[in-house]
Amino acid sequence: LNTSWQRAMPRNFSRVAKTVVNDLIQGERHLRPQKNSQSQISTDFVSVMFEGASYKLQTNEGIDRIRPQFLDLSGLDCSQSVALSANECVFSAKELTQVTHDSYTRQLNGFTTLLAEKIRINKGMHYLVSDHHSEFETSDLRREINRNFNNANPLPISIAAVYALLDKNQFKHNDLIMVLSSDNTGIYATPIYYCWDEKLGENYLERHPSIKLSQQGEQKLLQEALVNSGLPEIIAKRFIELYSYTEIVSNKAQLILHDGKHWYRVPTGLKVESIDISDTLFKEAYTLQKREEKVYFLSVSTAIKQQKGVKPKQWLASNPLLGSQILLEKQFLVPHKIFW
């Protein structure tokens, strides 16, 4: 087994060691995350997508990616750390994508406070949430967002993704868009119908409950790929807890973990198995929509590639953050209109 990357001794070891020691001496650490030296962003509308350790913002000026954020159990900022112990109780901003759990200690307040230090919203904010999560499962997140922001509302990622495509005028009345998403525990499809209201003479989107297409989620795929590449199981699990699927496969998981003996990093060029959900996907889609030409498939997950049997014109790509911004501005101008 080639372990040249597995035991990842940093080139500048002394600098890394100093950083680790500083992290362990609490007297030199700050009780609150330090404010970024950059000035706070002030904008009319902002859309936020929580992906993993980092997250994306879409404002009137464009897209901005916030660097990875890490907090320990007491709320101390570990974001500048180059390396951490695999056994240390450290949370990443991926906490913002997790569901409410009565017995689970979380750091939502720390991460939402940090976000509030970076942006000031003048008119409206969307934060994108998974379609298959219920209001109860996102109650902790909604509470903390509302504590820090005014005029902030959750928006299902499926609605945001479809809205980004409406200006292309490719959908006709009663077309079905199956929005595909994934998380650690499964693969999902959320049916969206492009509808026409005869009484009002307006188009709107009709969202239906999400359908679980597969029990094989991102965690199993990543765990197998990381372990097959040589990482110990406990180290692989820790990386998956801290980072998103996208961050791991796109070489954005830069943190180094150590277990007391060895140093580990996520390997570059990680090969992750593809997911085949085509049979179940077609079965569910054509149960909902009998006419094949009126069905589209839109993936909002890096883990879900174009499925076999799907025609190129049926497989769509989208920017949910852009769709959220479009919808935010329309909702502000016509606050009582039903858009979805």
Side-chain angles (χ1 to χ4, degrees), residues 223 323 337:
Q223 185 79 17
K337 180 179 177 179

Side-chain angles (χ1 to χ4, degrees), residues 137-155:
E137 289 174 318
T138 59
S139 59
D140 285 351
L141 174 62
R142 288 186 286 110
R143 182 188 65 245
E144 295 303 331
I145 291 288
N146 292 336
R147 189 198 304 272
N148 286 279
F149 296 96
N150 294 321
N151 302 318
N153 292 289
L155 180 69

Side-chain angles (χ1 to χ4, degrees), residues 117-225:
E117 292 175 352
K118 295 182 180 298
I119 55 175
R120 182 167 65 87
I121 314 304
N122 300 322
K123 294 181 179 178
M125 171 181 173
H126 279 160
Y127 53 99
L128 304 187
V129 294
S130 297
D131 289 83
H132 59 277
H133 288 163
S134 67
E135 288 192 4
F136 169 77
E137 289 174 318
T138 59
S139 59
D140 285 351
L141 174 62
R142 288 186 286 110
R143 182 188 65 245
E144 295 303 331
I145 291 288
N146 292 336
R147 189 198 304 272
N148 286 279
F149 296 96
N150 294 321
N151 302 318
N153 292 289
L155 180 69
I157 194 170
S158 65
I159 296 296
V162 174
Y163 250 95
L165 301 177
L166 292 186
D167 287 345
K168 297 182 179 181
N169 297 317
Q170 67 187 105
F171 302 128
K172 296 179 175 58
H173 299 155
N174 299 319
D175 279 359
L176 169 66
I177 305 101
M178 296 288 278
V179 181
L180 308 177
S181 60
S182 61
D183 64 9
N184 277 347
T185 61
I187 308 298
Y188 308 86
T190 303
I192 303 289
Y193 286 96
Y194 184 65
C195 299
W196 173 258
D197 189 312
E198 291 285 353
K199 183 180 296 184
L200 297 177
E202 296 176 343
N203 296 311
Y204 66 96
L205 299 180
E206 183 178 278
R207 182 173 70 114
H208 289 238
S210 298
I211 304 164
K212 193 166 189 177
L213 302 177
S214 173
Q215 299 289 341
Q216 185 179 30
E218 296 171 359
Q219 182 167 346
K220 184 174 184 296
L221 295 171
L222 288 174
Q223 185 79 17
E224 289 179 353

Side-chain angles (χ1 to χ4, degrees), residues 1 16 19 21 28 45 58 134-135 145 152 195 217 294 312 321:
L1 175 66
V16 175
T19 302
V21 171
E28 298 184 10
F45 303 103
Q58 172 99 34
S134 67
E135 288 192 4
I145 291 288
C195 299
K294 297 180 73 64
L321 286 173

Side-chain angles (χ1 to χ4, degrees), residues 11-249:
R11 292 188 181 91
N12 191 347
F13 176 75
S14 60
R15 178 175 62 82
V16 175
K18 181 179 178 181
T19 302
V20 174
V21 171
N22 286 339
D23 284 341
L24 296 176
I25 302 176
Q26 295 194 3
E28 298 184 10
R29 299 170 71 182
H30 299 273
L31 292 177
R32 286 288 181 184
Q34 290 179 292
K35 290 187 179 181
N36 197 309
S37 58
Q38 297 178 348
S39 59
Q40 186 184 49
I41 299 172
S42 178
T43 183
D44 287 342
F45 303 103
V46 66
S47 301
V48 186
M49 180 185 291
F50 306 119
E51 288 189 319
S54 58
Y55 43 90
K56 289 181 180 179
L57 302 176
Q58 172 99 34
T59 67
N60 308 94
E61 288 72 37
I63 295 180
D64 187 20
R65 178 180 287 275
I66 305 300
R67 64 179 175 79
Q69 307 291 327
F70 301 99
L71 299 174
D72 74 2
L73 189 60
S74 64
L76 300 178
D77 187 8
C78 305
S79 302
Q80 298 295 332
S81 299
V82 177
L84 292 171
S85 168
N87 298 318
E88 189 171 357
C89 191
V90 172
F91 303 87
S92 78
K94 189 177 180 181
E95 283 293 297
L96 298 169
T97 68
Q98 307 303 312
V99 298
T100 299
H101 195 292
D102 292 339
S103 61
Y104 187 47
T105 302
R106 309 182 70 183
Q107 283 291 357
L108 291 184
N109 178 260
F111 290 118
T112 52
T113 299
L114 189 149
L115 178 62
E117 292 175 352
K118 295 182 180 298
I119 55 175
R120 182 167 65 87
I121 314 304
N122 300 322
K123 294 181 179 178
M125 171 181 173
H126 279 160
Y127 53 99
L128 304 187
V129 294
S130 297
D131 289 83
H132 59 277
H133 288 163
S134 67
E135 288 192 4
F136 169 77
E137 289 174 318
T138 59
S139 59
D140 285 351
L141 174 62
R142 288 186 286 110
R143 182 188 65 245
E144 295 303 331
I145 291 288
N146 292 336
R147 189 198 304 272
N148 286 279
F149 296 96
N150 294 321
N151 302 318
N153 292 289
L155 180 69
I157 194 170
S158 65
I159 296 296
V162 174
Y163 250 95
L165 301 177
L166 292 186
D167 287 345
K168 297 182 179 181
N169 297 317
Q170 67 187 105
F171 302 128
K172 296 179 175 58
H173 299 155
N174 299 319
D175 279 359
L176 169 66
I177 305 101
M178 296 288 278
V179 181
L180 308 177
S181 60
S182 61
D183 64 9
N184 277 347
T185 61
I187 308 298
Y188 308 86
T190 303
I192 303 289
Y193 286 96
Y194 184 65
C195 299
W196 173 258
D197 189 312
E198 291 285 353
K199 183 180 296 184
L200 297 177
E202 296 176 343
N203 296 311
Y204 66 96
L205 299 180
E206 183 178 278
R207 182 173 70 114
H208 289 238
S210 298
I211 304 164
K212 193 166 189 177
L213 302 177
S214 173
Q215 299 289 341
Q216 185 179 30
E218 296 171 359
Q219 182 167 346
K220 184 174 184 296
L221 295 171
L222 288 174
Q223 185 79 17
E224 289 179 353
L226 290 169
V227 171
N228 289 341
S229 297
L231 286 179
E233 288 191 9
I234 188 65
I235 297 296
K237 181 180 179 181
R238 195 72 181 102
F239 276 125
I240 296 169
E241 289 173 347
L242 293 173
Y243 289 103
S244 68
Y245 181 99
T246 300
E247 289 171 322
I248 290 175
V249 301

